[in-house]
């Protein structure tokens, strides 16, 4: 089903519960291609995407769960706390996670340009995923364990981790 771009923008939601169904490689490739077509400062296309599945995804989930435990300790609402911890334990059951990276630079204006370019690519990625019937969730919370994520994904120090997003078929679409 082809959707109108305005409907996609208006109806996209941050999904936090996923079906375990794998995402076909050709669909994932279309989503990543859409991200690659984003505008970028000086046409540098400076983003990098790491697609994570299997045991490595489980390690990222363990890292996020550790972060979520510390964060949720401050929550008064027990049902919200439980839902948050369940989500963190498996990224909502998503079959894959995409880490989005930017180059690091000492020059502040270049760093801002990189982050803005990566944000445009990530927006394209989220919208393309939705158009393909996939859910996603732009996440920066897991970056509270950036050293752990760097180690798990073997990310060099000259890269900045901008965000992570789980990707999969939604089990629940939030209102």
């Amino acid at each position: 089903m082809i959707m109108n771009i305005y409907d996609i923008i208006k109806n996209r939601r941050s999904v936090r519960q996923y079906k375990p169904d794998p995402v076909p490689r050709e669909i994932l490739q279309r989503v990543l291609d859409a991200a690659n077509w984003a505008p970028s400062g000086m046409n540098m296309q400076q983003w990098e995407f790491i697609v994570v599945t299997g045991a490595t995804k489980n390690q990222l989930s363990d890292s996020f769960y550790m972060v979520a435990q510390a964060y949720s300790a401050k929550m008064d609402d027990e049902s919200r706390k439980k839902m948050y911890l369940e989500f963190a334990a498996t990224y909502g059951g998503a079959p894959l996670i995409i880490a989005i990276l930017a180059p690091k630079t000492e020059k502040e204006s270049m760093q801002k340009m990189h982050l803005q370019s990566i944000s445009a690519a990530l927006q394209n990625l989220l919208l393309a995923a939705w158009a393909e019937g996939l859910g996603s969730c732009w996440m920066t919370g897991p970056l509270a364990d950036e050293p752990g994520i760097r180690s798990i994904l073997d990310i060099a120090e000259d890269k900045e981790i901008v965000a992570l997003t789980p990707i999969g078929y939604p089990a629940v679409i939030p209102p």
Side-chain angles (χ1 to χ4, degrees):
M1 175 175 97
I2 303 283
M3 288 191 255
N4 173 304
I5 186 69
Y6 297 104
D7 290 337
I8 294 167
I9 291 168
K10 186 170 61 174
N11 293 313
R12 191 208 63 80
R13 297 289 180 266
S14 291
V15 172
R16 292 178 178 84
Q17 291 177 302
Y18 300 88
K19 296 176 184 175
D21 308 2
V23 176
R25 188 177 195 90
E26 61 274 6
I27 292 176
L28 179 59
Q29 189 61 57
R30 284 195 301 265
V31 168
L32 292 170
D33 286 345
N36 281 321
W37 280 102
S40 62
M42 300 169 63
N43 197 29
M44 292 179 71
Q45 302 172 23
Q46 57 273 70
W47 42 75
E48 184 175 331
F49 305 106
I50 301 174
V51 178
V52 184
T53 61
T56 306
K57 183 188 90 68
N58 294 340
Q59 289 178 306
L60 285 180
S61 295
D62 292 345
S63 165
F64 183 30
Y65 188 74
M66 180 187 69
V67 166
Q69 284 181 309
Y71 179 79
S72 67
K74 303 170 203 157
M75 290 181 178
D76 293 330
D77 183 336
E78 287 300 317
S79 65
R80 186 170 173 246
K81 179 179 181 175
K82 182 179 184 247
M83 285 175 40
Y84 180 62
L85 289 171
E86 286 174 359
F87 171 70
T90 64
Y91 279 85
L96 65 93
I97 299 168
I98 299 176
I100 300 92
L101 311 180
K104 276 188 184 176
T105 178
E106 296 298 317
K107 193 171 180 185
E108 187 179 344
S109 62
M110 288 293 285
Q111 194 63 34
K112 284 182 180 183
M113 180 189 72
H114 292 330
L115 292 176
Q116 291 169 9
S117 298
I118 275 59
S119 294
L122 182 51
Q123 176 73 358
N124 276 15
L125 187 147
L126 300 177
L127 293 173
W130 191 257
E132 293 284 355
L134 298 169
S136 60
C137 184
W138 185 323
M139 299 184 67
T140 57
L143 301 182
D145 182 29
E146 186 170 339
I149 294 169
R150 282 185 179 284
S151 175
I152 293 164
L153 299 179
D154 194 27
I155 297 171
E157 286 300 318
D158 66 343
K159 301 286 184 187
E160 180 173 355
I161 308 169
V162 178
L164 300 173
T165 181
I167 300 281
Y169 293 99
V172 175
I173 298 174

